[in-house]
Amino acid sequence: MTVYGNFPGSRPRRLRTTPAMRRMVAETRLDPANLILPAFVREGITAPVAISAMPGVQQHTLDTLRKAAVDAVSAGVSGIMLFGVPADENKDARGTAGTDPDGILQVGLRAVREEVGDDLVVMSDLCLDEYTDHGHCGVLTADGRVDNDATLERYAEMAQVQADAGAHVVGPSGMMDGQVGVIRDALDQTGHEDVAILAYTAKYSSAFYGPFREAVGSSLKGDRKTYQQDPANARESLRELALDLDEGADMVMVKPAGPYLDILAKVADSVDVPVAAYQISGEYAMIEAAAEKGWIDRDAAIMESLTGIRRAGAQMILTYWATEVAERLRHS
């Protein structure tokens, strides 16, 4: 054997020798407190309904939603983001079920707050798409375009009823220009100064939303490319970020997470507010499908994907595996 002095003098492998060593020097750590559970509550069902494209995820009844919230608290999850799924007959062009105090999302918010109080940060999706018969995130003009400013008026109403129902945080996801400012004003003017806004700052028009549309019973025909961001654009997300912060966003989010880690890193490096990322339905479905085929190690792939999102700068991660992963982290 030929020896070349003390070459190599630097041996990074020394810090990878054992699981204990790797754990000690890990630069990125996942904690249950980093996780937020998205959950769907559906009107008019007496038993939970499985979502075929998202194995293990379901549309909840009020009772199973309450249990999901309790389980999340027990696992150490920080928050739950609720999405309402109204009956088809209650959808209309203006999404009035979304601003009805007795609409399914508001009923779900009250149920979760009654069950867990302040032990879980209760968040609400603030958007019209689940409640409109056309499936878009806003009010349409006569020629079928989404009317930005008319939609803002509806968002202001939604913010008030969601806050009245008990939301700690509202998450405006429609990507309307000016939405954060209008919602902040609406909350402040109705005595909800303490309700925070998690801005969907960079929400891209993504092919990975497919399974979600089954989850919320979407009526969408066409696409949302005129208001969600173009996947080709990066600098645009920083412009959206500056606007959201100027309008009063308390937290900001990038969605989807995995395909946009570069955007997430840019956002995280640019702000001094908490940053979230949403590991969306398609990201979930791909891992579950590949694991079901035996092509990947499911648990390892889940943890690697979440660690990557955390490493890119997300302090909070919305993921359908939140409770499962939190339990695993607590016992690891």
Side-chain angles (χ1 to χ4, degrees), residues 15-326:
L15 302 184
R16 306 170 193 156
T17 52
T18 67
M21 177 70 79
R22 293 190 294 273
R23 180 174 180 270
M24 183 178 72
V25 302
E27 299 172 23
T28 303
R29 299 187 191 279
L30 270 176
D31 186 87
N34 299 131
L35 305 177
I36 298 167
L37 176 69
F40 308 100
V41 57
R42 178 172 168 180
E43 184 175 23
I45 58 173
T46 58
V49 177
I51 300 167
S52 64
M54 301 173 68
V57 181
Q58 58 193 10
Q59 296 169 328
H60 286 288
T61 67
L62 289 174
D63 286 342
T64 63
L65 178 66
R66 287 174 180 269
K67 182 178 185 304
V70 169
D71 290 345
V73 171
S74 298
V77 170
S78 281
I80 187 168
M81 173 68 81
L82 299 188
F83 297 85
V85 185
D88 285 343
E89 60 268 24
N90 289 331
K91 296 181 181 183
D92 60 26
R94 292 181 57 79
T96 53
T99 51
D100 180 351
D102 294 320
I104 185 58
L105 179 54
Q106 286 68 254
V107 172
L109 286 166
R110 288 194 292 271
V112 172
R113 282 300 302 272
E114 289 170 2
E115 193 68 35
V116 300
D118 294 334
D119 291 342
L120 197 62
V121 179
V122 180
M123 305 177 169
S124 56
D125 178 61
L126 199 164
C127 195
L128 287 171
D129 59 321
E130 293 98 326
Y131 310 100
T132 55
D133 53 13
H134 48 73
H136 277 287
C137 296
V139 179
L140 301 185
T141 62
D143 61 356
R145 295 180 298 109
V146 175
D147 186 327
N148 191 93
D149 295 1
T151 298
L152 294 182
E153 295 179 14
R154 300 287 294 124
Y155 286 3
E157 296 176 53
M158 293 188 81
Q160 180 178 344
V161 297
Q162 290 178 2
D164 287 344
H168 294 108
V169 177
V170 296
S173 60
M175 290 298 287
M176 296 296 119
D177 294 339
Q179 63 185 12
V180 172
V182 166
I183 289 166
R184 184 71 272 159
D185 285 347
L187 291 169
D188 292 349
Q189 291 172 18
T190 55
H192 295 298
E193 296 90 349
D194 289 340
V195 174
I197 297 175
L198 170 58
Y200 283 60
T201 290
K203 183 179 180 182
Y204 282 85
S205 180
S206 173
F208 293 94
Y209 294 133
F212 180 88
R213 291 178 182 165
E214 177 192 348
V216 296
S218 175
S219 302
L220 180 67
K221 295 178 177 61
D223 58 52
R224 301 187 173 113
K225 292 182 180 179
T226 65
Y227 44 102
Q228 293 178 353
Q229 280 188 241
D230 185 339
N233 293 350
R235 288 192 301 271
E236 183 183 27
S237 65
L238 298 182
R239 183 183 183 196
E240 293 279 6
L241 174 65
L243 290 168
D244 283 350
L245 292 174
D246 186 59
E247 292 173 25
D250 300 287
M251 301 172 280
V252 296
M253 181 157 68
V254 174
K255 180 181 181 181
Y260 295 92
L261 294 181
D262 60 324
I263 307 301
L264 175 58
K266 288 177 185 291
V267 168
D269 286 344
S270 302
V271 300
D272 57 5
V273 299
V275 176
Y278 196 148
Q279 185 182 54
I280 66 170
S281 59
E283 298 175 74
Y284 176 95
M286 287 192 301
I287 289 177
E288 290 287 353
E292 190 275 330
K293 290 284 190 180
W295 295 338
I296 60 173
D297 180 323
R298 176 186 180 274
D299 291 356
I302 290 170
M303 298 306 291
E304 184 176 341
S305 68
L306 292 171
T307 300
I309 296 166
R310 181 84 175 92
R311 187 184 64 242
Q315 294 161 264
M316 303 167 292
I317 305 172
L318 286 82
T319 175
Y320 300 98
W321 289 302
T323 302
E324 174 189 339
V325 168

